[in-house]
Short mmCIF file of all heavy atoms in Angstrom, two decimals:
data_model
loop_
_atom_site.label_atom_id
_atom_site.label_comp_id
_atom_site.label_asym_id
_atom_site.label_seq_id
_atom_site.Cartn_x
_atom_site.Cartn_y
_atom_site.Cartn_z
N MET L 1 -44.97 -6.68 55.49
CA MET L 1 -43.78 -7.41 55.83
C MET L 1 -43.01 -6.61 56.88
O MET L 1 -42.57 -5.51 56.59
CB MET L 1 -42.94 -7.57 54.57
CG MET L 1 -42.41 -8.92 54.36
SD MET L 1 -41.46 -8.93 52.83
CE MET L 1 -42.01 -10.44 52.20
N PRO L 2 -42.83 -7.16 58.04
CA PRO L 2 -42.13 -6.43 59.10
C PRO L 2 -40.68 -6.11 58.70
O PRO L 2 -39.97 -6.92 58.13
CB PRO L 2 -42.15 -7.39 60.29
CG PRO L 2 -43.21 -8.40 59.98
CD PRO L 2 -43.32 -8.46 58.49
N GLY L 3 -40.29 -4.88 58.99
CA GLY L 3 -38.91 -4.46 58.76
C GLY L 3 -38.60 -4.08 57.33
O GLY L 3 -37.48 -3.65 57.03
N VAL L 4 -39.55 -4.20 56.42
CA VAL L 4 -39.29 -3.91 55.01
C VAL L 4 -39.97 -2.61 54.59
O VAL L 4 -39.58 -1.99 53.61
CB VAL L 4 -39.76 -5.08 54.11
CG1 VAL L 4 -39.50 -4.79 52.65
CG2 VAL L 4 -39.07 -6.37 54.52
N GLY L 5 -40.99 -2.21 55.29
CA GLY L 5 -41.70 -0.99 54.93
C GLY L 5 -42.87 -1.29 54.01
O GLY L 5 -43.39 -2.40 53.97
N ASP L 6 -43.25 -0.29 53.26
CA ASP L 6 -44.40 -0.38 52.36
C ASP L 6 -43.99 -1.08 51.07
O ASP L 6 -43.62 -0.45 50.08
CB ASP L 6 -44.94 1.02 52.07
CG ASP L 6 -46.15 1.02 51.16
OD1 ASP L 6 -46.73 -0.07 50.93
OD2 ASP L 6 -46.51 2.10 50.68
N VAL L 7 -44.08 -2.39 51.07
CA VAL L 7 -43.65 -3.19 49.93
C VAL L 7 -44.49 -2.90 48.71
O VAL L 7 -43.96 -2.72 47.60
CB VAL L 7 -43.67 -4.70 50.27
CG1 VAL L 7 -43.36 -5.54 49.04
CG2 VAL L 7 -42.69 -5.00 51.39
N LEU L 8 -45.79 -2.85 48.86
CA LEU L 8 -46.66 -2.59 47.71
C LEU L 8 -46.41 -1.20 47.13
O LEU L 8 -46.37 -1.02 45.91
CB LEU L 8 -48.13 -2.76 48.08
CG LEU L 8 -48.58 -4.19 48.38
CD1 LEU L 8 -50.05 -4.21 48.80
CD2 LEU L 8 -48.37 -5.07 47.16
N GLY L 9 -46.26 -0.23 48.01
CA GLY L 9 -45.96 1.13 47.54
C GLY L 9 -44.62 1.19 46.81
O GLY L 9 -44.51 1.84 45.77
N SER L 10 -43.65 0.51 47.33
CA SER L 10 -42.34 0.47 46.68
C SER L 10 -42.41 -0.24 45.33
O SER L 10 -41.78 0.18 44.36
CB SER L 10 -41.31 -0.23 47.58
OG SER L 10 -41.10 0.53 48.75
N ALA L 11 -43.19 -1.31 45.26
CA ALA L 11 -43.35 -2.03 44.00
C ALA L 11 -44.04 -1.15 42.96
O ALA L 11 -43.66 -1.14 41.79
CB ALA L 11 -44.14 -3.32 44.22
N ARG L 12 -45.03 -0.38 43.39
CA ARG L 12 -45.71 0.55 42.48
C ARG L 12 -44.73 1.61 41.98
O ARG L 12 -44.74 1.97 40.81
CB ARG L 12 -46.90 1.21 43.16
CG ARG L 12 -48.13 0.34 43.19
CD ARG L 12 -49.36 1.15 43.67
NE ARG L 12 -50.12 0.32 44.57
CZ ARG L 12 -50.11 0.38 45.90
NH1 ARG L 12 -49.42 1.27 46.54
NH2 ARG L 12 -50.85 -0.44 46.62
N GLN L 13 -43.90 2.10 42.87
CA GLN L 13 -42.92 3.12 42.50
C GLN L 13 -41.93 2.56 41.47
O GLN L 13 -41.58 3.24 40.50
CB GLN L 13 -42.15 3.61 43.72
CG GLN L 13 -41.16 4.71 43.40
CD GLN L 13 -40.41 5.21 44.61
OE1 GLN L 13 -40.50 4.64 45.70
NE2 GLN L 13 -39.66 6.28 44.44
N VAL L 14 -41.51 1.33 41.66
CA VAL L 14 -40.61 0.68 40.69
C VAL L 14 -41.29 0.60 39.33
O VAL L 14 -40.67 0.88 38.29
CB VAL L 14 -40.18 -0.72 41.19
CG1 VAL L 14 -39.53 -1.52 40.09
CG2 VAL L 14 -39.25 -0.58 42.38
N GLU L 15 -42.54 0.23 39.30
CA GLU L 15 -43.27 0.12 38.03
C GLU L 15 -43.37 1.48 37.34
O GLU L 15 -43.18 1.59 36.13
CB GLU L 15 -44.66 -0.48 38.25
CG GLU L 15 -45.45 -0.68 36.98
CD GLU L 15 -44.77 -1.59 35.96
OE1 GLU L 15 -43.99 -2.47 36.36
OE2 GLU L 15 -45.02 -1.41 34.76
N VAL L 16 -43.66 2.52 38.09
CA VAL L 16 -43.73 3.87 37.52
C VAL L 16 -42.37 4.26 36.94
O VAL L 16 -42.30 4.81 35.84
CB VAL L 16 -44.21 4.89 38.58
CG1 VAL L 16 -44.00 6.32 38.11
CG2 VAL L 16 -45.67 4.65 38.93
N LEU L 17 -41.32 4.00 37.67
CA LEU L 17 -39.97 4.32 37.19
C LEU L 17 -39.64 3.56 35.91
O LEU L 17 -39.04 4.11 34.98
CB LEU L 17 -38.93 4.05 38.27
CG LEU L 17 -38.99 4.98 39.48
CD1 LEU L 17 -38.06 4.47 40.58
CD2 LEU L 17 -38.65 6.41 39.10
N ARG L 18 -40.03 2.31 35.85
CA ARG L 18 -39.80 1.51 34.64
C ARG L 18 -40.57 2.08 33.45
O ARG L 18 -40.06 2.13 32.34
CB ARG L 18 -40.19 0.06 34.88
CG ARG L 18 -39.21 -0.71 35.71
CD ARG L 18 -39.63 -2.15 35.88
NE ARG L 18 -38.58 -2.90 36.54
CZ ARG L 18 -38.79 -3.96 37.28
NH1 ARG L 18 -40.02 -4.42 37.46
NH2 ARG L 18 -37.78 -4.59 37.85
N GLN L 19 -41.80 2.48 33.68
CA GLN L 19 -42.60 3.07 32.61
C GLN L 19 -41.98 4.37 32.12
O GLN L 19 -41.93 4.63 30.91
CB GLN L 19 -44.04 3.30 33.08
CG GLN L 19 -44.81 2.02 33.25
CD GLN L 19 -46.17 2.23 33.89
OE1 GLN L 19 -46.51 3.33 34.35
NE2 GLN L 19 -46.97 1.17 33.95
N ARG L 20 -41.50 5.19 33.04
CA ARG L 20 -40.84 6.44 32.65
C ARG L 20 -39.58 6.16 31.84
O ARG L 20 -39.30 6.85 30.86
CB ARG L 20 -40.47 7.26 33.89
CG ARG L 20 -41.64 7.91 34.57
CD ARG L 20 -41.16 8.72 35.75
NE ARG L 20 -42.26 9.17 36.57
CZ ARG L 20 -42.11 9.64 37.80
NH1 ARG L 20 -40.91 9.73 38.34
NH2 ARG L 20 -43.17 10.03 38.49
N ALA L 21 -38.81 5.17 32.27
CA ALA L 21 -37.58 4.82 31.55
C ALA L 21 -37.89 4.33 30.14
O ALA L 21 -37.20 4.68 29.18
CB ALA L 21 -36.80 3.76 32.33
N GLU L 22 -38.94 3.53 30.01
CA GLU L 22 -39.34 3.03 28.69
C GLU L 22 -39.75 4.19 27.79
O GLU L 22 -39.37 4.24 26.61
CB GLU L 22 -40.48 2.03 28.83
CG GLU L 22 -40.90 1.41 27.52
CD GLU L 22 -42.02 0.38 27.70
OE1 GLU L 22 -42.22 -0.13 28.81
OE2 GLU L 22 -42.70 0.11 26.69
N MET L 23 -40.50 5.13 28.33
CA MET L 23 -40.93 6.30 27.56
C MET L 23 -39.72 7.14 27.16
O MET L 23 -39.62 7.58 26.00
CB MET L 23 -41.90 7.15 28.38
CG MET L 23 -42.37 8.38 27.63
SD MET L 23 -43.61 7.99 26.40
CE MET L 23 -45.04 8.05 27.43
N ALA L 24 -38.79 7.34 28.07
CA ALA L 24 -37.60 8.12 27.76
C ALA L 24 -36.76 7.43 26.69
O ALA L 24 -36.22 8.09 25.80
CB ALA L 24 -36.76 8.33 29.03
N GLU L 25 -36.66 6.12 26.74
CA GLU L 25 -35.92 5.36 25.73
C GLU L 25 -36.55 5.53 24.35
O GLU L 25 -35.85 5.72 23.35
CB GLU L 25 -35.86 3.89 26.11
CG GLU L 25 -35.03 3.05 25.19
CD GLU L 25 -33.56 3.41 25.17
OE1 GLU L 25 -33.03 3.82 26.21
OE2 GLU L 25 -32.93 3.28 24.09
N LYS L 26 -37.87 5.47 24.29
CA LYS L 26 -38.57 5.66 23.02
C LYS L 26 -38.34 7.07 22.48
O LYS L 26 -38.12 7.26 21.28
CB LYS L 26 -40.06 5.38 23.17
CG LYS L 26 -40.38 3.91 23.34
CD LYS L 26 -41.87 3.70 23.55
CE LYS L 26 -42.17 2.23 23.77
NZ LYS L 26 -43.61 2.00 24.00
N GLU L 27 -38.41 8.06 23.36
CA GLU L 27 -38.19 9.45 22.94
C GLU L 27 -36.76 9.64 22.45
O GLU L 27 -36.54 10.34 21.45
CB GLU L 27 -38.49 10.40 24.09
CG GLU L 27 -39.97 10.50 24.42
CD GLU L 27 -40.26 11.34 25.65
OE1 GLU L 27 -39.32 11.97 26.20
OE2 GLU L 27 -41.42 11.38 26.07
N ALA L 28 -35.80 9.04 23.14
CA ALA L 28 -34.40 9.15 22.73
C ALA L 28 -34.18 8.49 21.37
O ALA L 28 -33.48 9.04 20.51
CB ALA L 28 -33.48 8.53 23.78
N ALA L 29 -34.80 7.34 21.14
CA ALA L 29 -34.64 6.65 19.86
C ALA L 29 -35.21 7.49 18.73
O ALA L 29 -34.60 7.59 17.65
CB ALA L 29 -35.34 5.28 19.92
N THR L 30 -36.35 8.12 18.96
CA THR L 30 -36.94 8.99 17.94
C THR L 30 -36.05 10.19 17.68
O THR L 30 -35.83 10.56 16.52
CB THR L 30 -38.35 9.45 18.39
OG1 THR L 30 -39.18 8.30 18.52
CG2 THR L 30 -38.96 10.42 17.40
N ALA L 31 -35.51 10.78 18.73
CA ALA L 31 -34.63 11.94 18.58
C ALA L 31 -33.37 11.58 17.81
O ALA L 31 -32.93 12.33 16.93
CB ALA L 31 -34.29 12.52 19.95
N VAL L 32 -32.77 10.43 18.10
CA VAL L 32 -31.57 9.99 17.39
C VAL L 32 -31.89 9.76 15.92
O VAL L 32 -31.15 10.21 15.03
CB VAL L 32 -30.99 8.71 18.03
CG1 VAL L 32 -29.95 8.06 17.13
CG2 VAL L 32 -30.37 9.03 19.37
N ARG L 33 -32.98 9.09 15.64
CA ARG L 33 -33.38 8.82 14.26
C ARG L 33 -33.59 10.13 13.49
O ARG L 33 -33.07 10.32 12.39
CB ARG L 33 -34.64 7.96 14.23
CG ARG L 33 -35.07 7.56 12.82
CD ARG L 33 -36.26 6.61 12.82
NE ARG L 33 -37.39 7.08 13.59
CZ ARG L 33 -37.80 6.58 14.77
NH1 ARG L 33 -37.17 5.55 15.30
NH2 ARG L 33 -38.84 7.08 15.40
N ASN L 34 -34.31 11.07 14.10
CA ASN L 34 -34.58 12.33 13.43
C ASN L 34 -33.31 13.14 13.21
O ASN L 34 -33.11 13.71 12.13
CB ASN L 34 -35.60 13.16 14.23
CG ASN L 34 -36.97 12.55 14.20
OD1 ASN L 34 -37.30 11.76 13.32
ND2 ASN L 34 -37.79 12.89 15.18
N LEU L 35 -32.45 13.18 14.21
CA LEU L 35 -31.20 13.94 14.06
C LEU L 35 -30.28 13.29 13.04
O LEU L 35 -29.64 13.99 12.25
CB LEU L 35 -30.51 14.10 15.42
CG LEU L 35 -29.27 14.98 15.43
CD1 LEU L 35 -29.53 16.35 14.80
CD2 LEU L 35 -28.74 15.14 16.84
N ALA L 36 -30.23 11.98 13.03
CA ALA L 36 -29.40 11.28 12.03
C ALA L 36 -29.88 11.64 10.62
O ALA L 36 -29.06 11.91 9.74
CB ALA L 36 -29.47 9.77 12.24
N ARG L 37 -31.17 11.66 10.42
CA ARG L 37 -31.72 12.04 9.11
C ARG L 37 -31.42 13.49 8.77
O ARG L 37 -31.05 13.82 7.64
CB ARG L 37 -33.23 11.80 9.08
CG ARG L 37 -33.59 10.35 9.03
CD ARG L 37 -35.09 10.16 9.02
NE ARG L 37 -35.40 8.73 9.00
CZ ARG L 37 -36.52 8.22 9.45
NH1 ARG L 37 -37.46 8.99 9.95
NH2 ARG L 37 -36.72 6.92 9.39
N ASP L 38 -31.56 14.36 9.76
CA ASP L 38 -31.27 15.78 9.52
C ASP L 38 -29.80 16.00 9.18
O ASP L 38 -29.49 16.76 8.25
CB ASP L 38 -31.62 16.62 10.76
CG ASP L 38 -33.13 16.72 11.02
OD1 ASP L 38 -33.92 16.36 10.11
OD2 ASP L 38 -33.49 17.15 12.13
N LEU L 39 -28.92 15.35 9.93
CA LEU L 39 -27.49 15.53 9.70
C LEU L 39 -27.07 15.02 8.32
O LEU L 39 -26.41 15.74 7.56
CB LEU L 39 -26.67 14.82 10.79
CG LEU L 39 -26.77 15.43 12.19
CD1 LEU L 39 -26.11 14.50 13.21
CD2 LEU L 39 -26.13 16.81 12.22
N THR L 40 -27.46 13.80 8.01
CA THR L 40 -27.07 13.25 6.71
C THR L 40 -27.77 13.98 5.57
O THR L 40 -27.19 14.17 4.51
CB THR L 40 -27.33 11.73 6.63
OG1 THR L 40 -28.70 11.47 6.87
CG2 THR L 40 -26.46 10.98 7.63
N GLY L 41 -28.99 14.42 5.81
CA GLY L 41 -29.71 15.19 4.80
C GLY L 41 -29.07 16.53 4.52
O GLY L 41 -29.19 17.09 3.43
N ALA L 42 -28.35 17.05 5.50
CA ALA L 42 -27.65 18.33 5.35
C ALA L 42 -26.24 18.14 4.79
O ALA L 42 -25.47 19.08 4.71
CB ALA L 42 -27.59 19.05 6.69
N GLY L 43 -25.91 16.89 4.45
CA GLY L 43 -24.62 16.62 3.85
C GLY L 43 -23.50 16.26 4.83
O GLY L 43 -22.35 16.13 4.43
N ILE L 44 -23.85 16.08 6.09
CA ILE L 44 -22.85 15.65 7.08
C ILE L 44 -22.51 14.19 6.79
O ILE L 44 -23.40 13.36 6.66
CB ILE L 44 -23.38 15.80 8.52
CG1 ILE L 44 -23.82 17.24 8.80
CG2 ILE L 44 -22.37 15.30 9.55
CD1 ILE L 44 -22.74 18.26 8.76
N PRO L 45 -21.22 13.86 6.70
CA PRO L 45 -20.86 12.46 6.44
C PRO L 45 -21.38 11.51 7.52
O PRO L 45 -21.47 11.88 8.70
CB PRO L 45 -19.34 12.49 6.43
CG PRO L 45 -18.98 13.90 6.10
CD PRO L 45 -20.06 14.74 6.74
N VAL L 46 -21.70 10.31 7.12
CA VAL L 46 -22.23 9.29 8.03
C VAL L 46 -21.28 9.08 9.21
O VAL L 46 -21.73 8.98 10.35
CB VAL L 46 -22.49 7.97 7.26
CG1 VAL L 46 -22.77 6.83 8.22
CG2 VAL L 46 -23.64 8.15 6.29
N ARG L 47 -19.99 9.02 8.95
CA ARG L 47 -19.03 8.80 10.05
C ARG L 47 -19.06 9.94 11.07
O ARG L 47 -18.98 9.71 12.27
CB ARG L 47 -17.62 8.63 9.51
CG ARG L 47 -17.43 7.31 8.81
CD ARG L 47 -15.94 7.02 8.61
NE ARG L 47 -15.75 5.74 7.99
CZ ARG L 47 -15.77 4.58 8.64
NH1 ARG L 47 -15.99 4.56 9.92
NH2 ARG L 47 -15.58 3.46 8.00
N ASP L 48 -19.21 11.17 10.60
CA ASP L 48 -19.28 12.30 11.52
C ASP L 48 -20.58 12.27 12.32
O ASP L 48 -20.58 12.54 13.53
CB ASP L 48 -19.16 13.63 10.76
CG ASP L 48 -17.78 13.83 10.15
OD1 ASP L 48 -16.83 13.15 10.57
OD2 ASP L 48 -17.67 14.68 9.24
N ALA L 49 -21.69 11.97 11.66
CA ALA L 49 -22.97 11.86 12.36
C ALA L 49 -22.89 10.75 13.41
O ALA L 49 -23.40 10.92 14.52
CB ALA L 49 -24.09 11.58 11.37
N ALA L 50 -22.26 9.65 13.06
CA ALA L 50 -22.12 8.54 14.01
C ALA L 50 -21.34 8.96 15.24
O ALA L 50 -21.71 8.63 16.37
CB ALA L 50 -21.45 7.36 13.32
N GLU L 51 -20.26 9.70 15.02
CA GLU L 51 -19.45 10.15 16.15
C GLU L 51 -20.24 11.10 17.04
O GLU L 51 -20.20 11.00 18.26
CB GLU L 51 -18.18 10.82 15.65
CG GLU L 51 -17.20 11.10 16.75
CD GLU L 51 -15.84 11.54 16.24
OE1 GLU L 51 -15.45 11.11 15.15
OE2 GLU L 51 -15.18 12.30 16.96
N LEU L 52 -20.97 12.01 16.42
CA LEU L 52 -21.77 12.97 17.19
C LEU L 52 -22.83 12.27 18.04
O LEU L 52 -23.12 12.69 19.17
CB LEU L 52 -22.47 13.96 16.26
CG LEU L 52 -21.61 15.05 15.67
CD1 LEU L 52 -22.34 15.76 14.55
CD2 LEU L 52 -21.21 16.05 16.75
N LEU L 53 -23.42 11.21 17.50
CA LEU L 53 -24.52 10.53 18.18
C LEU L 53 -24.08 9.30 18.97
O LEU L 53 -24.92 8.61 19.57
CB LEU L 53 -25.60 10.14 17.16
CG LEU L 53 -26.28 11.35 16.50
CD1 LEU L 53 -27.19 10.88 15.38
CD2 LEU L 53 -27.06 12.14 17.53
N HIS L 54 -22.78 9.03 18.96
CA HIS L 54 -22.24 7.90 19.73
C HIS L 54 -22.85 6.56 19.32
O HIS L 54 -23.24 5.75 20.16
CB HIS L 54 -22.38 8.11 21.23
CG HIS L 54 -21.74 9.36 21.71
ND1 HIS L 54 -20.38 9.48 21.88
CD2 HIS L 54 -22.25 10.57 22.03
CE1 HIS L 54 -20.09 10.70 22.28
NE2 HIS L 54 -21.21 11.38 22.38
N VAL L 55 -22.98 6.39 18.01
CA VAL L 55 -23.43 5.11 17.45
C VAL L 55 -22.48 4.76 16.31
O VAL L 55 -21.64 5.57 15.91
CB VAL L 55 -24.89 5.17 16.94
CG1 VAL L 55 -25.86 5.46 18.08
CG2 VAL L 55 -25.05 6.19 15.84
N SER L 56 -22.63 3.58 15.76
CA SER L 56 -21.76 3.17 14.65
C SER L 56 -22.24 3.79 13.34
O SER L 56 -23.42 4.13 13.20
CB SER L 56 -21.76 1.65 14.52
OG SER L 56 -23.02 1.21 14.04
N PRO L 57 -21.33 3.93 12.38
CA PRO L 57 -21.77 4.40 11.06
C PRO L 57 -22.83 3.48 10.45
O PRO L 57 -23.75 3.96 9.78
CB PRO L 57 -20.48 4.37 10.23
CG PRO L 57 -19.38 4.53 11.24
CD PRO L 57 -19.88 3.80 12.46
N GLN L 58 -22.74 2.18 10.73
CA GLN L 58 -23.74 1.25 10.24
C GLN L 58 -25.12 1.57 10.81
O GLN L 58 -26.13 1.47 10.11
CB GLN L 58 -23.36 -0.20 10.58
CG GLN L 58 -22.12 -0.69 9.89
CD GLN L 58 -20.82 -0.28 10.58
OE1 GLN L 58 -20.80 0.38 11.62
NE2 GLN L 58 -19.70 -0.66 9.99
N ARG L 59 -25.14 1.98 12.08
CA ARG L 59 -26.42 2.32 12.71
C ARG L 59 -27.01 3.57 12.06
O ARG L 59 -28.21 3.65 11.85
CB ARG L 59 -26.24 2.51 14.23
CG ARG L 59 -27.54 2.76 14.94
CD ARG L 59 -28.46 1.56 14.86
NE ARG L 59 -29.73 1.84 15.51
CZ ARG L 59 -30.90 1.47 15.03
NH1 ARG L 59 -30.99 0.78 13.92
NH2 ARG L 59 -32.00 1.78 15.67
N ILE L 60 -26.16 4.54 11.76
CA ILE L 60 -26.64 5.75 11.07
C ILE L 60 -27.26 5.36 9.73
O ILE L 60 -28.34 5.83 9.37
CB ILE L 60 -25.51 6.77 10.86
CG1 ILE L 60 -24.99 7.30 12.19
CG2 ILE L 60 -25.96 7.91 9.94
CD1 ILE L 60 -25.97 8.15 12.97
N SER L 61 -26.59 4.48 9.01
CA SER L 61 -27.13 4.03 7.72
C SER L 61 -28.48 3.35 7.90
O SER L 61 -29.41 3.57 7.11
CB SER L 61 -26.14 3.09 7.03
OG SER L 61 -24.96 3.80 6.70
N GLN L 62 -28.60 2.54 8.93
CA GLN L 62 -29.89 1.87 9.20
C GLN L 62 -30.97 2.91 9.51
O GLN L 62 -32.09 2.82 9.00
CB GLN L 62 -29.77 0.92 10.39
CG GLN L 62 -28.97 -0.33 10.12
CD GLN L 62 -28.77 -1.13 11.41
OE1 GLN L 62 -28.87 -0.61 12.51
NE2 GLN L 62 -28.47 -2.40 11.24
N LEU L 63 -30.64 3.85 10.36
CA LEU L 63 -31.63 4.84 10.78
C LEU L 63 -32.07 5.73 9.63
O LEU L 63 -33.24 6.14 9.58
CB LEU L 63 -31.04 5.71 11.90
CG LEU L 63 -30.80 5.02 13.24
CD1 LEU L 63 -30.01 5.94 14.16
CD2 LEU L 63 -32.12 4.62 13.88
N THR L 64 -31.16 6.03 8.74
CA THR L 64 -31.51 6.95 7.66
C THR L 64 -32.11 6.26 6.46
O THR L 64 -32.67 6.92 5.58
CB THR L 64 -30.28 7.78 7.23
OG1 THR L 64 -29.23 6.89 6.81
CG2 THR L 64 -29.79 8.66 8.37
N SER L 65 -32.02 4.94 6.40
CA SER L 65 -32.59 4.22 5.26
C SER L 65 -34.07 3.87 5.49
O SER L 65 -34.79 3.60 4.54
CB SER L 65 -31.82 2.95 4.96
OG SER L 65 -31.97 2.00 6.00
N VAL L 66 -34.52 3.90 6.73
CA VAL L 66 -35.91 3.59 7.06
C VAL L 66 -36.73 4.85 6.90
O VAL L 66 -36.39 5.91 7.41
CB VAL L 66 -36.02 3.08 8.52
CG1 VAL L 66 -37.47 2.86 8.90
CG2 VAL L 66 -35.23 1.81 8.68
N ARG L 67 -37.81 4.74 6.17
CA ARG L 67 -38.69 5.89 5.94
C ARG L 67 -39.70 6.01 7.08
O ARG L 67 -40.17 5.00 7.59
CB ARG L 67 -39.45 5.73 4.62
CG ARG L 67 -38.54 5.76 3.44
CD ARG L 67 -38.05 7.17 3.21
NE ARG L 67 -36.79 7.14 2.48
CZ ARG L 67 -35.76 7.92 2.75
NH1 ARG L 67 -35.79 8.77 3.72
NH2 ARG L 67 -34.66 7.86 2.04
N PRO L 68 -40.02 7.24 7.47
CA PRO L 68 -41.00 7.43 8.55
C PRO L 68 -42.37 6.88 8.15
O PRO L 68 -42.70 6.84 6.98
CB PRO L 68 -41.07 8.95 8.74
CG PRO L 68 -40.26 9.56 7.67
CD PRO L 68 -39.54 8.48 6.92
N ASP L 69 -43.13 6.48 9.16
CA ASP L 69 -44.48 5.93 8.92
C ASP L 69 -45.42 6.98 8.40
O ASP L 69 -45.37 8.10 8.64
CB ASP L 69 -45.06 5.34 10.21
CG ASP L 69 -44.20 4.16 10.70
OD1 ASP L 69 -43.53 3.53 9.87
OD2 ASP L 69 -44.23 3.91 11.91
#
C-alpha cells in the first residue's frame, strides 16, 4: 500500500504485542490470586488485602475461595 509502509509487517507486530499482553495478563492474574491467598492465609484481613491489590474485598473472597487445580 503506497504511503503506508510495511502493512503486513506492522500487522504481525500488532499480533505479537497482543499475544504478549495476553500472556502478561494471565501472569498478573496468577500473581494476584497467589498473593491474595498468601495474605489471607497469613491472617491479613480481606479488606487490607483488597486495598493492597487494588481489587474489591469481594474479589479477594472469590480468589481465595477457589482451590488451585
Side-chain angles (χ1 to χ4, degrees):
M1 226 180 222
V4 180
D6 181 13
V7 174
L8 291 177
S10 295
R12 279 190 222 101
Q13 183 180 9
V14 167
E15 182 59 27
V16 167
L17 292 171
R18 285 182 173 151
Q19 289 172 353
R20 287 182 191 165
E22 183 178 340
M23 180 77 86
E25 184 64 33
K26 288 178 182 179
E27 289 174 6
T30 298
V32 167
R33 184 175 52 251
N34 291 339
L35 185 52
R37 288 179 181 155
D38 290 347
L39 291 170
T40 57
I44 304 295
V46 169
R47 288 195 178 279
D48 292 342
E51 189 170 330
L52 284 168
L53 295 172
H54 303 284
V55 297
S56 70
Q58 294 83 1
R59 184 65 182 138
I60 295 293
S61 295
Q62 289 173 339
L63 291 170
T64 58
S65 67
V66 176
R67 294 287 156 221
D69 297 334

